[in-house]
Amino acid sequence: MAWQPVATEPLDIDTGVAPARARAIAAALLRHAVPLLACRQGRAEPLASAALFGVGGRVVLVTCRHIFDDGIALGDLGVPLVHGVGVLWLRRALMRVIAHPQRDLALIDLAPGRTRDELLRHWPAVRVSEEALQSTRRPALYAVAGWPFAQMRRIDHTVYARPLVFFAAPAPGPDHADVDAACLPAAAQPSLRVRYARVARRSDGLDVHAPELDGVSGATLWAVIEDGCGAGDCLLQPAAVQCAFKHDAYARAEPLTIARGLFERVLRG
């Protein structure tokens, strides 16, 4: 199977982010937005989104725990090749799943080897800082980059996939506890919610229907921090993993603060 990304324009959910800035941030984030495929009856099918993270010399794929609910095994997973044609199947890698027992979050720990090296050649890993695993700051702007099923088409043996990048502000909801999140233990941290509308403003100025987020599960929710420097003159810090949505309401994500114990298990080996 060939995987062909299609050019995309980022979407703005009522934040007013400048088009040039949105495009610069989107280009940076899409380098880390990994599509996950599954082998079903000998056929490659889109499954979810993920991102590669590096911590203490280890490399993990971070995604949602629920992608394994339908009997998908680790050996069934694959990742499209960016600089070539085909799929890098992970079945030859030494790997294990470290899943959170209560929350919708999973780490796929990849041992050093040829498969991991090839994966990193196509999809660079983001270094996870201690700040990201401890931070409870809630900036005014977030961004999500992933691969929705609604923007994929299979023609012959090629899947044409248009990624989604959208910018949104935090959304209130029942997941937001009426206490200082910094005072809560990691497992009790509330989920993050950001606005997700049915209609969004595209960076070229057109109002379009925002797609369903099926397939975006597992994508990283990035905090756009204004007092940093980086893509679009801001700091892009991984903050959470998108796991659910309600159209015209919100997208929900599990904060990385609850994954600290999972990363510690990776480092312990």
Side-chain angles (χ1 to χ4, degrees), residues 107-182:
L107 275 55
I108 301 173
D109 181 22
L110 298 159
R114 187 174 300 175
T115 299
R116 193 184 82 171
D117 291 345
E118 180 70 2
L119 183 62
L120 290 171
R121 191 172 74 84
H122 292 268
W123 300 96
V126 179
R127 187 180 69 84
V128 178
S129 66
E130 188 67 19
E131 180 185 1
L133 295 178
Q134 290 182 336
S135 176
T136 56
R137 69 195 298 181
R138 297 292 181 260
L141 183 63
Y142 289 93
V144 176
W147 298 89
F149 299 155
Q151 296 187 168
M152 297 181 187
R153 296 291 182 273
R154 184 188 292 268
I155 302 176
D156 296 328
H157 299 292
T158 300
V159 172
Y160 295 87
R162 176 178 286 111
L164 170 70
V165 180
F166 73 88
F167 294 83
D175 293 284
H176 285 69
D178 191 22
V179 296
D180 183 356

Side-chain angles (χ1 to χ4, degrees), residues 217-235:
S217 288
T220 300
L221 177 72
W222 298 81
V224 182
I225 301 171
E226 304 293 343
D227 57 351
C229 57
D233 295 324
C234 61
L235 176 66

Side-chain angles (χ1 to χ4, degrees), residues 8-11 22-36 48-53 62-63 123 126 142-148 151-152 162-168 194 196 211 213 215-224 236-243 251 253:
T8 191
E9 288 280 353
L11 303 184
R23 289 176 178 136
I25 293 173
L29 297 187
L30 286 173
R31 295 179 65 242
H32 303 289
V34 179
L36 279 183
S49 299
L52 278 168
F53 288 82
V62 178
T63 188
W123 300 96
V126 179
Y142 289 93
V144 176
W147 298 89
Q151 296 187 168
M152 297 181 187
R162 176 178 286 111
L164 170 70
V165 180
F166 73 88
F167 294 83
V194 295
Y196 196 66
L213 294 183
V216 180
S217 288
T220 300
L221 177 72
W222 298 81
V224 182
L236 303 173
Q237 180 173 290
V241 176
Q242 196 274 334
C243 59

Side-chain angles (χ1 to χ4, degrees), residues 38-124:
C39 183
R40 290 189 170 103
Q41 298 179 341
R43 178 183 170 109
E45 298 287 352
L47 176 67
S49 299
L52 278 168
F53 288 82
V55 55
R58 304 290 295 186
V59 176
V60 297
L61 269 169
V62 178
T63 188
C64 286
R65 186 183 62 176
H66 76 249
I67 70 170
F68 298 105
D69 288 349
D70 293 333
I72 294 295
L74 273 178
D76 296 329
L77 296 179
V79 173
L81 300 177
V82 176
H83 308 298
V85 176
V87 176
L88 177 65
W89 295 105
L90 303 183
R91 59 177 65 98
R92 294 184 179 179
L94 292 174
M95 55 186 172
R96 57 176 176 156
V97 175
I98 301 176
H100 197 285
Q102 291 90 34
R103 309 292 286 267
D104 195 358
L105 189 63
L107 275 55
I108 301 173
D109 181 22
L110 298 159
R114 187 174 300 175
T115 299
R116 193 184 82 171
D117 291 345
E118 180 70 2
L119 183 62
L120 290 171
R121 191 172 74 84
H122 292 268
W123 300 96

